[in-house]
Amino acid sequence: MSQPAVVRARRAVAAVFTVHGAVTGTFATRIPWIKDHLHLSSGQLGLALVAPAVGASLAMPLAGRIVHALGQRAAVRLLLTLWCASLALPALAPDLPVFALSLFLYGACAGMADVAMNAQGVEVEQRYGRSIMSGLHGMWSVGGLLASGIGVLAAWRGLDARIHLGLMAALLTGLGLVACRGLLDLHPEPEEVAPPRFTLPPRSALAIGLVGFCAVFAEGASGDWSGVYLRGTAHSSAAVAAASYSAFAATMALSRLCGDMAVRRLGAVLTVRLGGVVALAGGLLIVFARTPWPAVVGFGLLGIGIAVVVPLCFAAAGTSGDNPSRAIAGVATVTYTSGLVAPATVGTVAQATSLPVSFGLVTLLTLGLVAGAGVLAPGKPPERVDHG
């Protein structure tokens, strides 16, 4: 394959990641509007917001079969289109049950598109000859930040979320279709057996997924509880509490964009081990902080420490077995299940003890990055057929 084609594919898959992140960032900004529109209590909203993670976890194993049947380019194009289109659904829901169902479908589309685009990213990385997965996930974060900025502006102007999400769904669908044109058109070997519709993660993916589980647990706990921690434990103002998540998200995005450079110089294993040490330091700072700014710095360090873990888990999964899509789906299922259980676990532990104890558990899990980093050593990639 020519180098220009590989460079074009790298740009295309980066654009796909950006669009995927933009869908998430758009929806996040309009959750308050939907809560008020449907007159939901905090408990009802929290219950509904579990639905995307459930949908994603159940649907991810299907992605490998879709990729096998259609080829990577067509699969990414189909699943990304469904994911973008699903953005319009939640704001149209007339009541809580329909809202939860729309979120289930939203999460299912998100999970399948996530698996397919990561499989394409792994293939492009192998042909590119150097690490790019961290940067791709950095572009996902950039997409989320840009779209959330648009969402904040829309909310400030009082734009109806049904109009906002509908327009963004159409725009992002169009951008996604354009981006997919440059993807590699890869198909399985003729003798390769299609993966089952539903299956447990392969053994090779389980250990990799557990490392990702530790990172995503810290991410989910920080995303949902950092502001509460700042207000209740560190006694901050509302503005500083909001800054805690901004520090976490910004440092994680920047670290992902710079992460490929670290991987090229240090290797995946050492990069994750060092990241685990940084995350451990951040977690300890959070646990012992009783004033705002040490806690904000702690969340920032936590973001830096876990930033490259999930991209490197996907990269390792892509070379861990005979079927990269199935391995990536398995890693994604294990990893993102963490996002389902983390917020509830932190809340349950905090209710029984305190938030510092909850984040002590988060800090303990960062040791899993240090101990388990060895499973992320790259293996030999399987052969794929290129039809374009």
Side-chain angles (χ1 to χ4, degrees):
M1 178 178 293
S2 66
Q3 188 64 19
V6 176
V7 172
R8 183 170 63 252
R10 181 189 180 186
R11 292 171 180 166
V13 75
V16 167
F17 271 77
T18 305
V19 169
H20 194 286
V23 176
T24 301
T26 299
F27 172 68
T29 61
R30 303 320 303 265
I31 292 174
W33 185 95
I34 296 172
K35 179 178 183 293
D36 293 340
H37 179 68
L38 296 180
H39 307 291
L40 302 178
S41 67
S42 295
Q44 288 173 320
L45 177 63
L47 182 64
L49 290 176
V50 173
V54 174
S57 296
L58 292 177
M60 278 175 175
L62 287 172
R65 193 173 183 91
I66 294 172
V67 170
H68 186 277
L70 301 180
Q72 283 197 9
R73 182 194 293 167
V76 173
R77 183 168 57 233
L78 171 64
L79 296 174
L80 185 66
T81 297
L82 291 175
W83 164 231
C84 292
S86 72
L87 175 62
L89 298 178
L92 299 175
D95 51 37
L96 177 60
V98 177
F99 177 53
L101 177 60
S102 71
L103 290 182
F104 179 88
L105 296 174
Y106 170 89
C109 294
M112 291 189 292
D114 192 288
V115 170
M117 73 185 192
N118 274 285
Q120 173 76 186
V122 169
E123 297 283 359
V124 173
E125 179 179 80
Q126 291 167 3
R127 286 159 177 77
Y128 204 72
R130 57 180 181 173
S131 175
I132 65 168
M133 288 298 291
S134 180
L136 294 179
H137 283 255
M139 293 306 297
W140 188 94
S141 299
V142 169
L145 289 171
L146 290 175
S148 66
I150 295 172
V152 168
L153 180 61
W156 176 67
R157 297 290 296 179
L159 182 63
D160 189 303
R162 290 168 292 192
I163 297 174
H164 173 215
L165 297 189
L167 290 174
M168 288 299 292
L171 173 63
L172 293 173
T173 296
L175 293 175
L177 289 173
V178 172
C180 288
R181 292 177 183 174
L183 298 178
L184 301 178
D185 189 18
L186 302 174
H187 293 261
E189 295 286 352
E191 67 275 10
E192 186 175 314
V193 178
R197 289 181 176 86
F198 292 99
T199 182
L200 294 174
R203 185 175 299 178
S204 61
L206 187 58
I208 297 171
L210 290 175
V211 175
F213 183 99
C214 295
V216 173
F217 193 99
E219 182 178 353
S222 299
D224 284 14
W225 289 96
S226 58
V228 177
Y229 195 98
L230 263 288
R231 290 287 279 165
T233 302
H235 312 293
S236 75
S237 66
V240 174
S244 66
Y245 179 72
S246 297
F248 175 81
T251 56
M252 191 160 72
L254 183 61
S255 297
R256 281 180 168 174
L257 290 173
C258 300
D260 290 319
M261 186 182 302
V263 174
R264 290 167 198 155
R265 293 185 177 183
L266 303 175
V269 174
L270 183 55
T271 299
V272 170
R273 282 190 175 139
L274 291 176
V277 172
V278 173
L280 176 64
L284 290 173
L285 201 54
I286 293 166
V287 169
F288 292 106
R290 295 299 179 269
T291 54
W293 290 109
V296 170
V297 172
F299 281 111
L301 290 175
L302 196 58
I304 293 172
I306 67 173
V308 302
V309 177
V310 171
L312 291 179
C313 285
F314 284 126
T319 59
S320 67
D322 295 332
N323 191 312
S325 295
R326 182 188 173 198
I328 289 171
V331 167
T333 302
V334 175
T335 297
Y336 291 132
T337 298
S338 185
L340 174 63
V341 303
T345 300
V346 169
T348 301
V349 174
Q351 182 71 27
T353 55
S354 67
L355 268 178
V357 173
S358 292
F359 274 88
L361 173 61
V362 173
T363 303
L364 185 64
L365 284 175
T366 63
L367 290 173
L369 306 181
V370 180
V375 302
L376 303 184
K380 181 181 178 181
E383 294 294 327
R384 318 301 292 169
V385 178
D386 181 3
H387 292 282

